[in-house]
């Protein structure tokens, strides 16, 4: 059986950035003539949703560090991103601090010895919740896309689970398989 590799628009988001390199979202938006930024909404320890706890191999009742962000395109909210990290990895590091991380969380994970080597993603569509409609400034009839991404190291250990809730309008996800 031949080796198979997948390429997707997510690839730049799951690799560590080089010193001085812009974050992946700022770079992608700039390539299209826009300004991509994000606002850090909250960093804290929480009991994650069941799906996230399973992805991180957490036991019932365990907590994780979450970094909640509002993603903006030209100043307009387009996505809510919640990234969860096992406490054993994030506690006492910039991942658990309420401030932006130079190079982003993926770069910090790599610096801490947890470089991502495997990515798993799932995408679903659903109606937006009241809170999502408010934060994303969308109408009650609008739906959202929810992309869940799990990052693992070479040995399969989960290091990050991210739930991205995106405005569906104008969103395109692309994947390419190389065989």
């Amino acid at each position: 059986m031949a080796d198979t590799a997948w390429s997707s628009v997510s690839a730049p988001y799951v690799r560590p950035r080089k010193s001085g390199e812009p974050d992946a979202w700022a770079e992608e938006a700039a390539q299209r003539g826009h300004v991509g930024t994000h606002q850090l909404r909250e960093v804290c320890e929480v009991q994650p949703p069941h799906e996230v706890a399973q992805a991180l191999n957490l036991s019932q009742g365990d907590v994780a560090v979450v970094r909640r962000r509002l993603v903006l395109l030209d100043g307009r909210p387009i996505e809510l991103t919640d990234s969860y990290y096992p406490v054993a990895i994030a506690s006492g590091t910039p991942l658990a601090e309420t401030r932006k991380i130079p190079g982003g969380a993926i770069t910090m994970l790599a610096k801490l010895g947890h470089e991502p080597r495997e990515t798993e993603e799932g995408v679903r569509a659903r109606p937006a919740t009241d809170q999502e409609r408010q934060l994303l400034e969308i109408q009650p009839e609008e739906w959202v896309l929810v992309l869940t991404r799990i990052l693992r190291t070479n040995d399969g250990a989960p290091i990050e689970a991210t739930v991205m809730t995106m405005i569906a309008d104008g969103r395109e996800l692309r994947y390419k398989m190389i065989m």
Side-chain angles (χ1 to χ4, degrees):
M1 183 168 158
D3 289 339
T4 302
W6 283 89
S7 173
S8 81
V9 293
S10 298
Y13 292 88
V14 296
R15 71 164 179 79
R17 309 301 282 182
K18 295 177 183 147
S19 181
E21 190 176 17
D23 72 58
W25 173 233
E27 184 176 60
E28 179 183 346
Q31 289 170 352
R32 296 184 174 154
H34 297 280
V35 176
T37 60
H38 68 271
Q39 296 172 354
L40 189 58
R41 296 176 42 232
E42 179 181 38
V43 178
C44 62
E45 288 186 12
V46 298
Q47 191 170 352
H50 178 72
E51 173 185 29
V52 170
Q54 279 188 312
L56 293 176
N57 293 334
L58 300 178
S59 298
Q60 186 174 357
D62 284 353
V63 296
V65 171
V66 64
R67 296 180 63 81
R68 299 184 197 279
R69 299 174 309 284
L70 177 66
V71 179
L72 306 162
L73 179 64
D74 296 331
R76 180 176 174 248
I78 62 162
E79 182 178 308
L80 301 169
T81 302
D82 293 352
S83 296
Y84 297 85
Y85 306 92
V87 171
I89 291 174
S91 184
T93 74
L95 292 168
E97 297 174 5
T98 307
R99 64 180 176 94
K100 289 188 177 182
I101 300 170
I106 302 302
T107 302
M108 179 55 58
L109 284 166
K111 286 180 182 177
L112 295 170
H114 306 284
E115 189 157 346
R117 294 291 183 198
E118 180 183 309
T119 304
E120 178 183 338
E121 293 184 347
V123 181
R124 67 184 186 276
R126 63 165 171 76
T129 66
D130 289 340
Q131 181 183 27
E132 291 164 350
R133 282 193 294 273
Q134 179 184 4
L135 290 168
L136 294 172
E137 301 175 5
I138 59 177
Q139 299 301 311
E141 67 276 4
E142 292 186 67
W143 281 44
V144 291
L145 291 178
V146 180
L147 188 148
T148 303
R149 176 184 300 141
I150 304 160
L151 298 180
R152 295 182 183 89
T153 58
N154 268 342
D155 63 0
I159 55 174
E160 179 187 84
T162 299
V163 179
M164 293 160 266
T165 305
M166 313 171 201
I167 292 175
D169 185 38
R171 193 60 67 134
E172 177 185 355
L173 303 174
R174 294 184 314 276
Y175 298 88
K176 178 171 89 175
M177 185 170 68
I178 302 165
M179 299 172 56

